[in-house]
Amino acid sequence: MAKINISLDAELVVEVMVLAGIGSPQDAVEAVVRDYIARGHRTEARTELKEQNLREVEVKPQDPQG
């Protein structure tokens, strides 16, 4: 796996470490990135399911009104 080095504000990293209970800055940043990605996948799944349900509703014939 390729690795990159970036600079981050130390206060941000320390806050993540405290909130997540993680002792290593590297692990804390990785946890945040992994959580962000997982949240994106969950959002995509919910959006896809909602869109699929909307398509099914549009396809069903509507009851006569009146």
Side-chain angles (χ1 to χ4, degrees):
M1 175 187 299
K3 302 258 181 190
I4 62 167
N5 292 318
I6 58 172
S7 298
L8 295 172
D9 183 271
E11 289 182 21
L12 293 175
V13 176
V14 169
E15 189 165 347
V16 169
M17 290 171 64
V18 170
L19 289 172
I22 298 174
S24 160
Q26 175 76 30
D27 292 344
V29 172
E30 284 185 17
V32 169
V33 173
R34 290 180 192 280
D35 180 63
Y36 182 82
I37 292 169
R39 185 174 299 161
H41 290 303
R42 289 191 303 267
T43 300
E44 287 174 358
R46 281 194 306 254
T47 303
E48 183 177 312
L49 182 60
K50 184 177 179 180
E51 288 175 357
Q52 183 179 12
N53 288 340
L54 288 174
R55 280 191 294 260
E56 290 174 2
V57 168
E58 291 173 1
V59 171
K60 292 180 184 175
Q62 301 232 346
D63 293 332
Q65 296 181 6

